[in-house]
Amino acid sequence: MAKAKYTTHLGMVDILPDESPKWRALEQIIHEEAARYNFEEIRTPIMEQTELIKRGIGQLTDIVTKEIFAFTKGDSNYVLRPELTAPVVRSYVQHHLAQRGGSQKLYYIGPMFRAERPQKGRQRQFHQFGVEVIGSGDPVADVECIAFMMSIYKRVGIKNFNLKLNSVGDPESREQYKNVLKDYLRPNLNQLSELSQKRFETNPMRILDSKEKEDQEFIKNAPVIGDHLNEDSAAHFKKVCDLLSSLEIGYTIDPLLVRGMDYYTRTAFELTSPDLGSQDALAGGGRYDLLVEEIGGQPTPAVGFAAGMERLFIACEELDISLAEPKTVDVFIATLGDTARDWAVKTLPVLRDRGVSATMDYLGRSLKAQMKDANRENARYALIVGDNELEAGKFTLRNMHESDEEQLDLEQIIQKVAHLSND
Ligand code: AMP
C-alpha cells in the first residue's frame, strides 16, 4: 500500500467507520443518563479567548504554560479549548444563565486539545464528557456529580475502579495549610526536584502531585490538608463523605490529591482504573466556588467533573466490553440488468420510508460480487431482482444468516423485514 502523503497531526486521531458505533453508543448512554439526572446539554465553541483559559485554569498550571494550542489572528487571541469548565462558566456568565433560576445542571460531550506528549491514553485531541452544576454550594451537588459519573461506568459495565476523594479546602484553609506545608518543605527545599522547587513559591500544593522520585520521601511524610480545614470546609467534606457512604459509593480519602487546575476549592476527586496502564485516570473533578467570580460573574459556588472518553474505551477493551452491535443493514438489493437497477433505485426509498435500512451496489458489479458485498455489509437479507422477477412481481428474498430463500412480492418483503428495524 502506498504511504499516505498527508496524515493527522501528532496525537490527533481519526475516528474511523469501524470505531464510530461505539462512540455513538457511549454518547447515547451519556444523553440518556443525563436526562435521568435532569442535566441539560451545553455546547460551546471549540475556540475560546486565550485570556479566559489562562485566567480560568491558572497562569502557572501545566495546561496553560505548556499545553495550550494558541494562536493569533488579526487582533484576537484564540485557544483550542483544553477543558470545558472555564468555557461553560464563561457561557453561564455571558448569557446570564443564573436568571433561569435554581442551579444550572449542565453536561457536555466534545473534543478538547492539549499539546501533551502522546502515549497510550494520552492524545492531543481527545474527548471528554462532563457536568458542571453551577449555583449550589450544597454537598448534595458534589455527590450528585459523582453519582452521575459513576452511573455512566456502571451502565458501560466497568466496575473495577478507585474513587479518590480529598478536600483542597477553601481559600482560608488553603492559605493556612500552604504555610504549614512550606514550613515543612523549606529545610529540604534544595533536595526537591527542580519542578517542585519552582512550585514551592507559585503553587506548593502541586508538589504533592509530583511524580519525581526525589520528592517522594518528603511527600510521604508531609502534613495533610485534612488536618488544616476550617470548620466550614471540614463540615462540607464530612457531609460529602457521609452522603457517598449512604449511597454505597465506595471511596478512599487521598490527602495527596490536588489536581491540575487552580480553580478547585473544597471537594476534589479522581476516578482511576486498575485496567488502564500508566494513564490510569478515567475522570476527575471537584468544586470550584471562586471561578464564576474570577471570570466576571457574581460569586457563585459550583462543582463538576470531566471524564476521558478514550480512556473509557481503553478500559472497555481490556475488559472485553463491546458497546456497539456489529454493523448491519436490513436489505441489500442485488440486481441483474439495467431495468432491475432502476427498479432498485426507486425501491430503496420505499423500504427506507417503512423504517427498513437498505442499500444496493453502486459499482455495476456481477451478481456474485454483489452477494459478496451483501455479506461484507452484514446484510440480514439480500433482495435479488432480475427481469423475470420484475415481470412476475415476485422477488427472491434470501436470509443471509440462514441461507434460505423465499419468493415474495414487495409488500410481503416489507412485512417480513420491517419488524427487524423496529425490534
Ligand atoms: P482533566 O481535565 O485534566 O481533569 O482530565 C479529566 C479526564 O480527561 C482525565 O481523567 C482523563 O480521563 C482525560 N484526559 C485528560 N487529558 C487527556 C489526554 N491528553 N488524552 C486523553 N485523555 C485525557
Side-chain angles (χ1 to χ4, degrees), residues 338-393:
D338 287 346
T339 322
R341 263 176 88 73
D342 289 350
W343 179 88
V345 175
K346 283 193 297 188
T347 304
L348 285 173
V350 176
L351 293 169
R352 292 166 183 160
D353 282 351
R354 300 282 292 270
V356 175
S357 60
T359 191
M360 66 181 281
D361 156 69
Y362 293 168
L363 301 171
R365 301 224 240 181
S366 71
L367 186 61
K368 193 170 163 208
Q370 290 182 59
M371 294 309 285
K372 262 195 181 165
D373 279 350
N375 246 327
R376 190 177 41 78
E377 299 285 344
N378 195 21
R380 289 174 168 139
Y381 289 95
L383 196 170
I384 303 162
V385 199
D387 289 343
N388 292 344
E389 283 81 1
L390 285 175
E391 211 163 289

Side-chain angles (χ1 to χ4, degrees), residues 243-305:
L243 287 172
L244 286 175
S245 301
S246 75
L247 291 175
E248 294 181 5
I249 296 178
Y251 61 87
T252 48
I253 294 179
D254 179 354
L256 299 180
L257 182 69
V258 288
R259 307 208 18 87
M261 293 77 161
D262 279 358
Y263 50 61
Y264 285 112
T265 51
R266 297 194 165 166
T267 317
F269 54 88
E270 196 161 81
L271 193 68
T272 58
S273 161
D275 299 308
L276 295 174
S278 60
Q279 301 301 313
D280 66 349
L282 283 169
R287 184 160 274 291
Y288 50 94
D289 290 343
L290 307 175
L291 185 62
V292 180
E293 196 180 1
E294 180 75 27
I295 285 175
Q298 298 296 318
T300 310
V303 56
F305 78 85

Side-chain angles (χ1 to χ4, degrees), residues 33-34 36-37 39 105 129 131 133 139-155 161 163 165 240 243-250 267 269 271 303-305:
E33 213 50 30
R36 287 186 189 164
Y37 275 76
F39 284 108
K105 297 171 60 177
F129 66 91
V131 308
V133 177
V140 169
D142 309 35
V143 170
E144 279 274 280
C145 283
I146 294 173
F148 173 77
M149 176 178 85
M150 305 301 270
S151 75
I152 302 291
Y153 296 98
K154 192 169 152 200
R155 273 196 58 181
F161 35 52
L163 174 63
L165 196 65
V240 170
L243 287 172
L244 286 175
S245 301
S246 75
L247 291 175
E248 294 181 5
I249 296 178
T267 317
F269 54 88
L271 193 68
V303 56
F305 78 85

Side-chain angles (χ1 to χ4, degrees), residues 63 82-84 114 116 121-128 153 259-261 263-264 270-271 276 280-285 305-312:
I63 294 183
E83 56 101 62
L84 224 58
R114 295 183 195 173
E116 300 189 84
R122 194 195 275 172
Q123 295 173 189
R124 291 187 159 190
Q125 175 173 339
F126 60 101
H127 296 76
Q128 291 184 333
Y153 296 98
R259 307 208 18 87
M261 293 77 161
Y263 50 61
Y264 285 112
E270 196 161 81
L271 193 68
L276 295 174
D280 66 349
L282 283 169
F305 78 85
M309 294 170 77
E310 284 82 1
R311 302 252 176 113
L312 185 150

